[in-house]
Amino acid sequence: MEIEIYADVACPWCYIGKRRLEQALESYDGEVTVRYRPFQLDPSPVPTPQPLLTGLAAKFGSRERVEQMFTQVTGVAADVGLRLDFDRAVAANTFDAHRLVWYATRRGLAAETVDALYRAHFTDGVDVGSRVALARLAAGVGLDEAEVRAFLDSGEGASEVAAELAAARELGVTSVPTFVLAGKYAVTGAQEPQTLLAALAEVEQRESSAH
């Protein structure tokens, strides 16, 4: 079964959703192919890197309100073994990060690259909008740093990622993570592993009875 994950690497619930899917798949017997599809929560440019909390405080009215929002998601993440450090996180446009995932997919390193991007953004305070930082991060998962930097500077993959972002809008994906199972069944949100497992079993049953 193919599982497409529409997600943004600047979305903490997407990070949690990816981990919960991995936990669900540990108990799933069927064969699965996971594909990572791009989505941007905020496609606007970020001209100069700034702390994520600063930008969100301006958007939501106060730093206190933002910190309250993050307290909940940080606790949920900790329950699945993820550490989120919003005090270090840097606001970034994620388009080039999605291009890096596109590049890594063609080299069989998509999952590792997506994990590295989440960790860089949410734990290590790396600016994932920086091509230099992205190339360095790619080297950490086994890609060639110089090749990745040349790829990012070339503009290659931009039209493909833009087309996938447009396809997500046409599909009606408005919140992430969204999991699309077998090309036609959508599960939205960072669902618990048992919920995802039940969805996989149901889709498998529907697909087998349809054939």
Side-chain angles (χ1 to χ4, degrees), residues 12 27 51 60 64 75 98 107 129 142 147 165:
S27 308
F60 289 104
E64 289 74 23
H98 287 303
R107 284 149 183 82
E147 281 181 18
L165 289 166

Side-chain angles (χ1 to χ4, degrees), residues 29-177:
D29 294 333
E31 281 191 29
V32 164
T33 302
V34 178
R35 301 200 187 282
Y36 299 92
R37 305 295 189 198
F39 186 91
Q40 284 193 286
L41 291 171
D42 185 357
S44 55
V46 181
T48 52
Q50 64 169 335
L52 182 64
L53 285 173
T54 303
L56 290 177
K59 185 176 178 180
F60 289 104
S62 76
R63 188 182 174 99
E64 289 74 23
R65 186 169 174 204
V66 173
E67 286 177 346
Q68 278 178 344
M69 288 161 47
F70 285 157
T71 298
Q72 183 207 358
V73 71
T74 301
V76 174
D79 288 341
V80 291
L82 303 175
R83 188 168 71 83
L84 307 185
D85 188 348
F86 287 104
D87 288 326
R88 298 183 70 189
V90 177
N93 180 288
T94 56
F95 189 81
D96 279 339
H98 287 303
R99 285 176 58 219
L100 175 58
V101 175
W102 180 88
Y103 177 91
T105 298
R106 276 139 194 80
R107 284 149 183 82
L109 289 167
E112 296 86 345
T113 301
V114 170
D115 256 347
L117 284 163
Y118 281 131
R119 195 165 52 249
H121 180 65
F122 286 110
T123 308
D124 299 335
V126 173
D127 176 10
V128 296
S130 157
R131 290 177 179 175
V132 173
L134 289 172
R136 197 175 299 133
L137 178 149
V141 300
L143 294 166
D144 184 282
E145 185 172 346
E147 281 181 18
V148 170
R149 183 63 202 271
F151 159 77
L152 290 169
D153 288 343
S154 75
E156 190 187 345
S159 58
E160 288 86 352
V161 169
E164 287 200 15
L165 289 166
R169 287 192 294 274
E170 284 169 27
L171 273 173
V173 177
T174 55
S175 64
V176 284

